[in-house]
Every structure is written in structure tokens, then in C-alpha cells.
Amino acid sequence: MKVAVLGAGAIGAYVGAALHRGGAEVHLIARGEHLKAIREAGVRVLSPRGDFTAHPHATDDPAEVGTVDHIFLGLKANSYAAAGHLVSPLLHESTTIIAAQNGIPWWYFHGLKGPYQGHRIQSVDPDGTVTAVLPLERAIGCVVYAATEIERPGVIRHLEGTRFSIGEPSGELTGRCGEFSAAMTDGGLKCPVEQDLRKDIWIKLMGNIAFNPISALARATMAGICRHDGARELVVAMMRETVDVARRVGCDPGISIERRLRGAEKAGEHKTSTLQDLEKGKPLELDVLLAAVVELADLTGAEVPTLRAIHAVSDLLSESLDPVGARSTPD
């Protein structure tokens, strides 16, 4: 099995190293000092489960790789529309695209029976620009339950979690999902194939939609937000509104807000990816988290005043950081 990891950052390089260790043919597509270090010494993974080093092929040119069976997409969602030149050299007639994405994916209503089947979410897929690059029929969903960081170029610190849940938008159990799941398992990761991946999407989003923007606005860790009574109440209100929207589009997350909060508290003094991006001066990946759910609220008639307020101020923060066109620049 031949896999390209497009966007071999903290999560991508970790997955690529694990797949390579399990016997897959892996090609990491990265850039800068990180790419240079990987070429020289491989990917060094530091993990409480045991350290290891993998030496997959690494490049900044997808044309050098050629077509692959699976693309594991580690780019930020706000760079998908501009990634066509990176994706197209990797595609053959049955190549899948497995996007390790937080929030609402561009394929959300693809294959979903009901009143919104085929609906395009403008904030996620503006004017179809993402679908043009990442065709719906190639999409396999992926929800990441692992925390990693780049400790230094070429060195990945694995903090916790090894589960990468995947699933078809249609809910079918397909051979292509089974093949990728088996390769991930061979590499030491958990990769269950879910018939209802949207449930996983909403469970994770309950936390992301609240903690990510608040952490950036307040420069606070997840534990710090939970300790502050007012901020905790704000998180609860945002989660409650999010669950209402999820149910209106046909998905009940099936988890209590208090349980979701307890899970977030266990993260401790963890900086969300949005806060880390803010500190690094990178564009904030909030459209798929906040804007998409507000758009779905408009679609379904849900009342989401708290989400709208936080979306307004976080969007203002994003605009103050992002020069024109920055949101469409690949990581």
C-alpha cells in the first residue's frame, strides 16, 4: 500500500512514521527545516508508549512521489482550496483522501440521507472551491484522538492518544477503509472504521468549538478555562447550542456536557491548536469550527446567540492577524 502524507506536521509525521513502521510505503510531503531534518535523520517519535525512529521518503514535491493509494491530509482546513497543485499529482482513479480535520468537513452532507443531502456548507466549501480540489467521492472522514507536537524539526513528541477513527460519508463499510485501518493498526495505532463518523465529529466539536476560540481570545489553557467560573459557564452555553444544531441536522452526539467537560479538564495546561497558531502568527482555523455551525444554525432555525457572539469576536481577531489571501495559503 502506497500512502502520501500531505502536510507532514506534528500529526502527519506521527502517522507517517507509524505507517512506515508497519510496512506501508510512505512518502512525507513537508517543507523547510522540518523536511531537511527528516531527510537527514528520519522522523524521531518520542512517546510514553516507546520511542522509535522511522525513515520514510520525504520531499516537498508531490510530483516526485507519483500516484498513491491513499492521501493522509494533514493540512489545515483553511488551506484545502489552494492545495490543488499538491493533491493532483498524487491521484489515480481510486486514490482516497483521508482528511485529519477538526470541525465540520466539506463532505458533511455527501451521502447523508435526509432533507439536507448534498447541501454545500459555504463557510467550509466556499463556492465549491474545496470540492474542486478534494472530490467528494474520494473522501474518507477521520477524527483524531491523539495529541502531538513538533519538539524540534524532525522530532515529534507524542503526548497522548493513538485513535484515528475513520469512516465513509455514506456509512458503508468499504474495502478501502478496511485497507487503511489495517495499515494503521500494523503501525501500532488504533483506527476503527465507524458507520456513523458524524457522531465522533460532533463529540469532538463540542470541545473544539468552545475551547479553541476562547483559548485564543483569553490566551488561556484548557484547564485555565475550566477553572474560571464565568468561562466555564460560557463553554457550557456553547456546547448546549452546538448539541442543538447537531440534533437538527440528524445527529445526537450522545454524550453529556459534563462528561465532555471532564474530558477537557484532563488535558490540563494544554494549549489548543488555535492558541498555538495564534502565538506562531498563523491563520486561525475557525471557519470549520465556529462559522460552519453558525451557518448550520441558520439552515435549521436554531438559536445560537452565544456561538454568534464568540464567532464575531474571534473572526475579528482572525481578520486582524490574516493579511489578504493568507487563509488560502497551504501550511
Side-chain angles (χ1 to χ4, degrees), residues 17-225:
L19 286 168
H20 184 269
R21 181 174 62 169
E25 179 186 341
V26 177
H27 302 266
L28 303 183
I29 300 169
R31 63 182 186 179
E33 291 300 313
H34 189 49
L35 172 60
K36 180 181 177 183
I38 293 171
R39 281 173 163 169
E40 290 176 351
V43 178
R44 177 67 172 162
V45 175
L46 308 178
S47 171
R49 303 175 70 244
D51 300 347
F52 69 96
T53 301
H55 296 271
H57 171 248
T59 181
D60 58 0
D61 181 8
E64 183 181 313
V65 175
T67 61
V68 299
D69 301 308
H70 303 280
I71 299 171
F72 185 85
L73 197 60
L75 301 174
K76 294 286 188 180
N78 51 14
S79 69
Y80 288 175
H85 66 293
L86 300 174
V87 174
S88 59
L90 302 170
L91 299 177
H92 60 55
E93 62 181 14
S94 59
T95 302
T96 72
I97 298 172
I98 302 161
Q101 178 195 326
N102 286 327
I104 303 295
W106 81 100
W107 54 260
Y108 189 85
F109 288 113
H110 175 61
L112 180 65
K113 294 180 180 179
Y116 306 116
Q117 183 172 1
H119 178 81
R120 180 172 52 78
I121 305 170
Q122 178 69 13
S123 54
V124 172
D125 186 13
D127 300 321
T129 53
V130 174
T131 296
V133 172
L134 310 175
L136 294 171
E137 67 274 10
R138 295 184 181 274
I140 291 176
C142 178
V143 178
V144 178
Y145 296 96
T148 59
E149 61 185 21
I150 299 177
E151 184 160 292
R152 59 184 183 274
V155 179
I156 306 300
R157 173 72 65 178
H158 172 228
L159 303 173
E160 61 177 357
T162 59
R163 182 156 66 99
F164 294 76
S165 296
I166 64 172
E168 295 281 358
S170 66
E172 297 174 88
L173 298 177
T174 60
R176 63 186 195 171
C177 278
E179 177 185 64
F180 187 77
S181 173
M184 293 279 277
T185 301
D186 288 345
L189 303 177
K190 297 176 182 177
C191 189
V193 180
E194 305 288 354
Q195 287 185 278
D196 186 10
L197 191 69
R198 291 175 180 85
K199 185 173 181 179
D200 288 68
I201 288 170
W202 284 104
I203 289 172
K204 189 168 185 187
L205 182 55
M206 284 172 66
N208 289 148
I209 201 170
F211 286 102
N212 286 53
I214 292 173
S215 69
L217 292 165
R219 310 298 200 275
T221 63
M222 292 177 70
I225 293 168

Side-chain angles (χ1 to χ4, degrees), residues 307-319:
L307 294 180
R308 289 187 191 280
I310 297 299
H311 171 51
V313 292
S314 61
D315 194 53
L316 181 61
L317 174 62
S318 292
E319 288 185 0

Side-chain angles (χ1 to χ4, degrees), residues 9-10 31 76 78 150 273-285 317-318 321-323 326-327 329-331:
R31 63 182 186 179
K76 294 286 188 180
N78 51 14
I150 299 177
S273 59
T274 304
L275 177 54
Q276 292 179 48
D277 285 345
L278 177 67
E279 292 178 341
K280 295 174 184 175
K282 293 183 177 181
L284 306 185
E285 189 185 28
L317 174 62
S318 292
L321 295 171
D322 298 352
R327 295 190 189 187
T329 302
D331 278 0

